[in-house]
Amino acid sequence: MNQGGALLFYEPLTPKHYLDQILAQYPYDIDPALVYTLLTKYPAPHPALLTFIDFIRRSRKILITKKALTNHALNRLYVKMAALAQPPHTLLHIHSFRFDCLIHYTHCPINHAYPYLAYDKIALIDEVHIAQNTHIRLHPVDTPPITYTSSMPLLDLSLDPNQYFSLSISINEVHGLILIPRCAAALISALGTLYPFTAEKVRHDFLLFYDLKMPQQENIIAYDANSKQYIGCSCHVGSNQSSLTECLYMIRTLYGAITRDKHDLTLTSTMLNMEIPNQAISLLMCSDEERQKSALIEALLQTGQKHRCTITRVFENYGTIHLLDDSLYATGAQIGGAIPITSLTPNLFYDNTGEDIYLSESERITYRITSLKPLTPNHLFQPIHIIAILCNVESFRLFNHPEEVLPHLSRCYCTLDSSLHKDDAVGNALINTALLNDIPLIALPINDTPDQNAQALISWIQTRTSPDE
């Protein structure tokens, strides 16, 4: 089945069925018997076969299987196709029939307070296995504005459980349930690198219906006071509009609203550990322009090597700021990162080409998604020593008053619009705590080059921490 630019394979699956599906999508004429020989013997390097192999290599293939069902024939087929390669004495160097993504799921009831949501038994994703050096292609979409409503927008909503997957994700101690249409299965493979899944039954703090086909073209977030749950609807008029950028934006906004209610603050930020002689510093880099922030982080990594400063990432993209006992701490919200490749230097881009996933939107590669990694203590409650904000200022400077910082910092909030909150008590408390604890609040000009900002920041830190200060 070809959905959303990906070939989805359901059980039962045989070698002939597998190739029949691909041949059905092949735009050129080719003898099926010639293709079937690939599974039994080494083929001759026929030009038509070379073209077919290139086609099948570039197409995205996803095998969706029930975790509880053990199909030995299917497992053997997967192993055989994943290992199928041309021997070195022939002219064909390699052809791979592997699946780019394996999605294991179980059917289970999703308990929810709304009886009119008809998804009593829906496929709940348990595990996602992704092949290395995978290239994901998604259809482009512009992120619509998000509005807040106190009324329930789902009164007439009824979902077909056969058309949706369900992902139960964990972000620190917050749990969210995301319903994604099966045609956007390639999007699931990307989310599987960024968040840990929770297969056990938990209470979900937010619910996201992604890529709903509804009359309006505007994303909606509502708060249900009865179940104390945020509900997000990503609405599209057309079809095939999957976008990782928009999905992460919706998740981040829902999560940010929950942390705000808990008097924490979620920012578009990256935390770095900087090891300079005789001292370790945790730097929180904030900016509402994620592309410029990623470029500055890469410049810092390179500049630090030249100044005897070892820099490592603690978490990427966004994190939660905690105010505990009049001190500031940060916790990462993802276990992977989506970095625009335009922010990477050629050396950094090619360093991990065999380990990462590459995401295409608008028919070009735009993001490098880091591989799945386990949560570590460094993701949790990391002390903050310096806060740097990439913003619209004329030159490198230090903020000394809350009223100077708040307009720039508020642009980095991962929350809904300001109409949700009459005041900014959380933001003011964060800034005042930083100033009382002598945590520098640094402004970096967004119009300067990443190299200029990296050089200025590292030079200032080394001067401030030098023994002769």
Side-chain angles (χ1 to χ4, degrees), residues 52 106 109 135 141 173 208 227 253 263 286 293 311 435 454 456-457:
F52 175 76
T106 54
H135 182 188
V141 65
E173 296 181 354
L208 172 58
S227 62
T253 304
H263 302 289
C286 307
K293 176 172 64 67
I311 302 178
L435 294 174
L457 182 59

Side-chain angles (χ1 to χ4, degrees), residues 41-42 68 82 129 181-182 212 222 269 279 317 376 385 426 447 460:
K41 62 182 179 181
Y42 296 121
H129 299 282
R182 288 177 179 259
L212 289 179
S269 58
Q279 193 169 2
N317 286 347
T376 65
H385 300 132
V426 179
N447 292 326
W460 180 85

Side-chain angles (χ1 to χ4, degrees), residues 412-466:
C412 306
Y413 291 176
C414 298
T415 55
L416 304 173
D417 55 44
S418 57
S419 62
L420 266 180
H421 307 278
K422 296 180 180 180
D423 54 47
D424 201 0
V426 179
N428 278 303
L430 185 153
I431 296 169
N432 286 324
T433 302
L435 294 174
L436 288 174
N437 286 275
D438 293 325
I439 298 175
L441 297 168
I442 300 173
L444 299 171
I446 199 168
N447 292 326
D448 282 5
T449 66
D451 290 337
Q452 288 175 321
N453 278 325
Q455 181 66 45
L457 182 59
I458 290 179
S459 297
W460 180 85
I461 291 174
Q462 288 182 327
T463 301
R464 182 174 181 268
T465 58
S466 64

Side-chain angles (χ1 to χ4, degrees), residues 123-138:
L124 180 65
I125 303 296
D126 294 315
E127 294 177 353
V128 176
H129 299 282
I130 303 170
Q132 291 185 344
N133 198 18
T134 297
H135 182 188
I136 301 171
R137 293 180 178 87
L138 297 177

